Structures are given as structure tokens and as C-alpha cells.
Amino acid sequence: MNGIFLTLEGGEGCGKSTQLERVAEALRTRTGREVVTARSPGGTAVAEKIRAILKTREPGEDLLPETELMLFGACHAQMCEHMIRPALTRGAVVISDRFTDSTLVYQGCARHIAPETVARVNEFVCRGTRPDLVLVLDIPVELGLRRTTGRSGGNTQNDRFDSESAAFHTAVRNGFLELARREPGRFAVIDASPSPEQVTQSILEAIYARLAIL
Ligand code: TMP
């Protein structure tokens, strides 16, 4: 049986992490297949160390967009080799909370690195491993930011991404919608404003409609 690679993408506070576990559990029950969950940046020992550098503000020395691109690329190389490809080879379903489409949107659209450069880095680090289906959880920026602010007890200052401007987060939202518009066969946009139960249902329907997963 062939492995299947799914990703959950979207802006801050769209509920990806909650949905990752809910969708993984539903797929295990319904298909009986091995389902492996991952998150980017992170998921392997080295990638988790790189995550700490990427997420935390270093007083007096912010990361350049180029540095971010290289570090996310390094994470994705480690994830592909040590986690995603072995699982796909076993025939598992892999679901990742973010992957290289986040790099296209955050480092490309929001940090203004040329899209061709980001795409080349993504191809280089993944060696042909790419998601079969990208589920974009879409919510208005203000709602997403209210959720992340609530989660962090009102203090998002230490997180290099959560603390970005509304313009940055709007560029991220528009970036994901534009990717989905360009590649409708490989992307599904899910309205992430309703209850978690309803969002899980919409995600599962999109997966069953598009992939021979059962
Ligand atoms: P999260 O795990 O809480 O979503 O945090 C990861 C942050 O990293 C999130 O703000 C998006 C950002 N990110 C990028 O900028 N580029 C990438 O390639 C990935 C995977 C994440």
C-alpha cells in the first residue's frame, strides 16, 4: 500500500494542532492504517533544536529572512529523511502540522524572499517528497490572533511569529489562499471558524473526497 502525505497549513490560531490529533485519530479508526503525526518546525531531535532558535526572540540579534529560510530548510531535510520518507515507505499516512508551503508563504510572501528562491530551497531539501494534499485552515486574521493571544495569556512578545504585525498575518492568509487557487487539485481550503467538531468533519470530507485512503 502506498503511503499518503497530508499537511495542515494556515495562519496563527487557525486550530491546526487541535485538528492534527483529531484527524489522525479519526483516520486510524476509519482506515485501520498506521497514521504518523509530525509538526514543522520540529518532529526530530535536531529539528526540535532548530525550532527553538526559529521561535524565540534573541535580544539584539534578530534572524534575517535568509537565515529563517535556511533553518526551515534544514528542519524539512531532517524531517524528510528521518521521519516522513521512512513512514511513507512503510505505507503509513503522514499528517504534518505545517511543511514547505509555510516556507513559500511565510518566507516568500510575508518576508519577501523571491518565490523561485524559496521553491528551489524546498525542492533541494525535500528531494521530491511533497504533500499529496494540503489542507489550508482559513480564518480571519483578527480571530486567529485573538486565539493565540488568549493561549499565551496575553503575551505573544517572545514568539517571533505570533508577535508580527496584522499586515504580516494578512500576507500569510492571502499567500495560502493564492497557493490553493493556483493548485486546486492538491489544496483544499477549509473554513476554520466553526467549532472544532465541524472543522474536523470538513477536513475528513475533503480527504475522503480526494484521496484513495480507505
Ligand atoms: P507553530 O508551530 O506554532 O505554528 O509555529 C511555527 C511558526 O513558524 C509559525 O509562525 C509559522 C512559522 N513557519 C515559517 O515561517 N516557515 C516555515 O517553513 C514553517 C514550517 C513555519
Side-chain angles (χ1 to χ4, degrees):
M1 192 181 283
N2 289 338
I4 295 179
F5 184 18
L6 308 172
T7 57
L8 298 180
E9 294 280 11
E12 316 305 324
C14 68
K16 288 177 290 70
S17 315
T18 310
Q19 292 302 329
L20 184 78
E21 292 311 324
R22 297 176 63 94
V23 170
E25 205 42 53
L27 290 179
R28 279 186 198 109
T29 308
R30 169 120 181 223
T31 69
R33 294 177 68 152
E34 180 192 3
V35 178
V36 173
T37 56
R39 71 162 178 181
S40 174
T44 75
V46 171
E48 288 291 334
K49 287 184 181 161
I50 300 173
R51 176 185 176 90
I53 300 175
L54 280 161
K55 291 276 282 180
T56 317
R57 202 171 285 291
E58 187 66 40
E61 184 184 347
D62 201 12
L63 299 183
L64 295 173
E66 291 85 345
T67 310
E68 277 187 5
L69 176 61
M70 293 298 126
L71 291 179
F72 282 113
C75 273
H76 294 147
Q78 294 300 116
M79 288 174 75
C80 279
E81 182 64 16
H82 292 286
M83 196 178 182
I84 297 171
R85 272 194 297 268
L88 294 176
T89 305
R90 291 196 302 273
V93 178
V94 177
I95 316 180
S96 183
D97 176 344
R98 298 194 183 283
F99 198 57
T100 44
D101 293 297
S102 276
T103 326
L104 282 173
V105 165
Y106 280 83
Q107 281 60 56
C109 307
R111 298 279 198 229
H112 308 296
I113 297 178
E116 312 79 57
T117 305
V118 182
R120 282 191 65 186
V121 170
N122 282 347
E123 276 161 33
F124 175 63
V125 297
C126 293
R127 301 191 207 151
T129 302
R130 72 196 296 249
D132 297 297
L133 178 61
V134 181
L135 298 137
V136 175
L137 306 196
D138 182 56
I139 47 164
V141 168
E142 311 73 52
L143 176 56
L145 292 182
R146 268 206 303 278
R147 286 183 183 171
T148 41
T149 309
R151 212 161 52 201
S152 60
N155 183 8
T156 55
Q157 278 317 302
N158 291 333
D159 186 301
R160 294 186 53 257
F161 293 95
D162 289 356
S163 56
E164 277 292 349
S165 65
F168 179 93
H169 294 294
T170 302
V172 166
R173 183 185 189 197
N174 292 339
F176 281 122
L177 293 177
E178 177 60 19
L179 288 183
R181 200 186 57 75
R182 275 197 235 151
E183 245 191 304
R186 213 169 59 85
F187 281 72
V189 178
I190 309 288
D191 178 5
S193 319
S195 70
E197 293 75 19
Q198 281 170 286
V199 176
T200 307
Q201 200 46 43
S202 305
I203 294 172
L204 291 172
E205 279 166 17
I207 294 171
Y208 297 142
R210 286 155 187 260
L211 295 174
I213 201 167
L214 297 175

